[in-house]
C-alpha cells in the first residue's frame, strides 16, 4: 500500500482516474410546513469545488440519490467569468429533504424554462419570461412616441413554452390564439410593480432604460440589468440600475434597484397601476404584500398583479393612479422587492383568493428558505 501511495505522489497523473470517480453530495432540506414544488435552489460553487476539486464543469450530472434520476441544473455566473452557483430544481414535501449527488458524465439536455432578450426591432423593449409568466420593460427608442410607457408590462400566458420570440416575430400578440396575449395597459405609470423616487407625494419617473446586460439566461434562471440615465428628482440628480431575476416555475421576479444619489436616504415607492373599475385588493403592511386582482378585462379574463417589498419601515397607501408601498433607498444598499402576475385563464391561479394565497405562501417561503449543505 505504501508503494502505491508513493507512486501516486510521484506520478499525479495516476491519481486522476481515482479523482474522476469521487463525488459530492448535496443535501437540500425544507424547514417549513409548505411543500416546495420545482424550487430553484442555489448551491455555492466554491463549496462544491472544495469537496470535488477536479470537477469538470462540462462533464457532470446531478442525480437524486434515492431515485438515481437526473436533476435539472444550471451554472449561474451572475455576469462573471467564473461560476458563482450551481442552480438545481427540486420538489420537497413540508419538512422534507433530498440528497443529490454530483457524478461524472454527460448530462441530459434540459428544457429551457426561462429566457430574456433586448428587442431592438420593437423600440428597444426588453422582454423576459419563464414557463408561467412574461414581462417587458420599455426602452429609449419609445420615449418620443405617442405610445410611450414607463412601468413594468405583463404578458399573460397559458402555456409552459417560451413565446417571446414567436410573438415578436408575428407582431400579433394582442389577440389570444391559445397561448396568451398582451392586454395589460401600462401607460405613464409604474405598471405592474415598478419602483421610483417620491418627494412630497409626487412620483419622479425615470425615463426609459438606456443600457442593458444579460447576466444569465436560463435554463432555470434568467438575470439581467437595466441601466437608466440620470434624471432630476426635486433638484437632486439620481441614477438607478435594476437587476431583475426570474426563476422557472415562479410567478414573481426578484428586483434589486441600486440608486446613486447624494445625501441621505432617498424615499421611493413600489407601485401597481389601478383600474377605474373596482378590483379586489390586499394591502398587508406587516408582510410587505400588495396584491391586486384586477377587474375583468372583458373576454380576455382577469390579471392578478402583486409586489412584495422586503425590509422594515414600510408604509402603504394609494394615489390617483396606484397602489403604493413606500420605503427608502439607503446609501449603497439596493431596494429589494418582488413583483409578479397571474392570469385567470392560466389554468392555475383563477381567482383573487387563489392569488392572495399564493402571495402569502411565497412570502413564507422567503422567510424560511430551503437549507443547503455540501458533503
Amino acid at each position: 500500500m505504501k508503494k502505491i501511495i508513493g507512486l501516486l505522489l510521484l506520478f499525479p497523473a495516476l491519481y486522476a482516474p481515482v479523482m474522476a470517480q469521487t463525488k459530492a453530495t448535496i443535501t437540500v432540506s425544507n424547514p417549513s410546513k409548505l411543500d416546495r414544488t420545482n424550487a430553484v435552489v442555489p448551491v455555492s460553487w466554491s463549496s462544491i469545488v472544495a469537496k470535488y476539486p477536479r470537477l469538470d464543469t462540462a462533464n457532470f450530472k446531478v442525480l437524486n440519490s434515492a431515485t438515481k434520476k437526473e436533476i435539472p441544473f444550471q451554472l449561474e455566473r451572475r455576469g462573471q467569468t467564473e461560476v458563482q452557483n450551481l442552480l438545481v430544481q427540486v420538489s420537497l414535501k413540508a419538512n422534507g429533504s433530498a440528497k443529490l449527488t454530483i457524478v461524472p458524465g454527460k448530462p441530459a439536455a434540459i428544457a429551457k424554462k426561462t429566457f430574456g432578450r433586448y428587442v431592438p426591432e420593437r423600440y428597444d423593449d426588453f422582454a423576459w419570461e419563464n414557463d408561467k409568466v412574461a414581462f417587458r420593460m420599455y426602452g429609449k427608442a419609445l420615449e418620443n412616441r405617442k405610445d410611450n410607457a414607463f412601468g413594468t408590462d405583463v404578458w399573460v400566458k397559458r402555456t409552459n413554452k417560451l413565446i417571446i420570440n414567436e410573438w415578436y416575430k408575428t407582431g400579433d400578440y394582442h389577440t389570444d390564439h391559445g397561448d396568451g396575449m398582451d392586454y395589460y395597459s401600462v401607460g405613464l405609470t409604474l405598471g405592474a410593480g415598478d419602483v421610483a423616487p417620491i418627494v412630497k407625494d409626487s412620483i419622479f419617473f425615470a425615463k426609459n432604460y438606456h443600457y442593458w446586460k444579460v447576466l444569465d439566461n436560463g435554463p432555470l434562471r434568467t438575470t439581467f440589468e437595466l441601466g437608466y440615465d440620470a434624471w432630476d428628482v426635486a433638484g437632486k440628480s439620481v441614477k438607478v440600475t435594476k437587476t431583475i431575476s426570474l426563476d422557472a416555475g415562479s410567478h414573481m421576479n426578484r428586483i434589486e434597484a441600486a440608486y446613486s444619489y447624494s445625501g441621505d436616504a432617498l424615499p421611493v415607492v413600489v407601485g401597481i397601476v389601478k383600474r377605474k373599475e373596482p378590483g379586489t385588493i390586499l394591502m398587508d403592511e406587516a408582510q410587505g404584500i400588495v396584491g391586486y386582482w384586477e377587474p375583468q378585462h372583458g373576454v380576455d379574463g382577469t390579471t392578478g398583479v402583486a409586489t412584495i417589498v422586503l425590509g422594515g419601515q414600510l408604509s402603504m397607501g394609494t394615489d390617483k393612479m396606484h397602489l403604493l408601498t413606500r420605503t427608502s433607498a439607503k446609501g449603497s444598499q439596493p431596494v429589494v422587492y418582488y413583483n409578479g402576475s397571474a392570469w385567470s385563464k392560466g389554468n392555475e391561479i383563477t381567482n383573487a383568493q387563489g392569488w392572495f394565497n399564493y402571495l402569502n405562501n411565497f412570502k413564507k417561503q422567503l422567510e424560511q428558505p430551503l437549507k443547503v449543505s455540501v458533503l
Side-chain angles (χ1 to χ4, degrees):
M1 176 61 82
K2 290 182 178 180
K3 185 176 180 180
I4 293 173
I5 294 173
L7 287 171
L8 290 174
L9 292 174
L10 289 170
F11 303 100
L14 295 175
Y15 188 59
V18 179
M19 284 301 298
Q21 300 304 315
T22 62
K23 301 175 182 179
T25 300
I26 301 166
T27 300
V28 184
S29 58
N30 179 8
S32 76
K33 296 179 180 179
L34 297 171
D35 291 347
R36 299 294 299 271
T37 303
N38 293 326
V40 176
V41 186
V43 185
S44 165
W45 187 250
S46 61
S47 68
I48 293 172
V49 173
K51 304 296 183 182
Y52 197 162
R54 297 198 180 186
L55 175 60
D56 181 355
T57 57
N59 189 46
F60 75 90
K61 299 184 287 187
V62 181
L63 303 180
N64 183 307
S65 299
T67 66
K68 307 304 180 184
K69 293 183 178 180
E70 285 194 47
I71 297 293
F73 71 87
Q74 174 184 334
L75 297 178
E76 183 184 37
R77 289 182 163 83
R78 301 287 298 184
Q80 305 298 312
T81 302
E82 300 297 325
V83 177
Q84 305 299 305
N85 294 299
L86 173 71
L87 304 178
V88 293
Q89 189 172 35
V90 297
S91 294
L92 295 174
K93 293 293 186 180
N95 300 121
S97 63
K99 285 188 176 181
L100 314 179
T101 308
I102 297 176
V103 299
K106 184 177 180 180
I110 300 172
K112 195 174 180 68
K113 297 180 181 178
T114 69
F115 174 69
R117 77 172 177 95
Y118 168 58
V119 189
E121 67 270 30
R122 223 302 299 195
Y123 306 111
D124 295 346
D125 284 355
F126 196 100
W128 69 102
E129 64 178 320
N130 66 5
D131 49 345
K132 301 288 185 182
V133 289
F135 305 91
R136 70 171 164 179
M137 296 290 277
Y138 300 104
K140 208 71 178 172
L142 194 69
E143 278 184 357
N144 296 320
R145 291 177 51 86
K146 292 181 180 179
D147 55 349
N148 186 29
F150 287 156
T152 307
D153 189 24
V154 171
W155 287 4
V156 293
K157 293 176 61 173
R158 53 178 167 188
T159 177
N160 59 9
K161 71 178 185 179
L162 302 179
I163 48 79
I164 282 174
N165 283 337
E166 178 183 334
W167 286 9
Y168 273 115
K169 184 176 181 180
T170 64
D172 185 17
Y173 47 80
H174 293 287
T175 301
D176 181 12
H177 296 291
D179 290 339
M181 63 186 298
D182 171 27
Y183 68 80
Y184 189 82
S185 177
V186 177
L188 303 181
T189 75
L190 294 170
D194 205 359
V195 60
I198 186 168
V199 178
K200 295 181 179 178
D201 295 326
S202 295
I203 298 174
F204 286 77
F205 295 92
K207 293 187 176 180
N208 295 345
Y209 87 86
H210 197 181
Y211 310 99
W212 62 272
K213 181 180 180 181
V214 175
L215 305 182
D216 291 284
N217 211 353
L220 300 179
R221 174 178 292 171
T222 289
T223 304
F224 58 94
E225 292 179 355
L226 299 180
Y228 293 74
D229 294 335
W231 75 105
D232 181 80
V233 177
K236 178 183 296 187
S237 178
V238 174
K239 294 181 70 173
V240 68
T241 299
K242 299 171 187 173
T243 303
I244 301 173
S245 292
L246 179 63
D247 286 354
S250 179
H251 285 263
M252 306 294 288
N253 300 293
R254 184 182 190 276
I255 296 136
E256 292 186 8
Y259 283 92
S260 176
Y261 59 94
S262 61
D264 299 327
L266 179 71
V268 301
V269 286
V270 176
I272 297 171
V273 63
K274 293 185 300 184
R275 306 305 176 193
K276 293 180 181 179
E277 302 80 8
T280 307
I281 297 171
L282 167 69
M283 300 187 82
D284 187 338
E285 197 169 277
Q287 296 297 317
I289 300 172
V290 174
Y292 185 34
W293 193 252
E294 291 194 335
Q296 184 167 330
H297 195 266
V299 297
D300 300 327
T302 305
T303 305
V305 187
T307 60
I308 301 176
V309 181
L310 303 186
Q313 298 181 331
L314 305 175
S315 64
M316 293 179 176
T318 63
D319 65 10
K320 292 181 180 179
M321 295 190 296
H322 299 96
L323 308 172
L324 297 172
T325 301
R326 292 175 178 252
T327 185
S328 295
K330 297 176 182 178
S332 60
Q333 297 178 355
V335 176
V336 180
Y337 72 97
Y338 292 77
N339 68 10
S341 66
W343 186 32
S344 62
K345 290 188 173 184
N347 303 318
E348 181 183 355
I349 299 169
T350 59
N351 55 50
Q353 192 57 56
W355 183 223
F356 299 161
N357 289 343
Y358 177 90
L359 299 173
N360 281 308
N361 288 340
F362 188 90
K363 180 62 187 302
K364 289 177 183 177
Q365 290 168 5
L366 292 177
E367 294 171 339
Q368 294 184 293
L370 299 179
K371 295 182 177 180
V372 177
S373 62
V374 181
L375 307 175

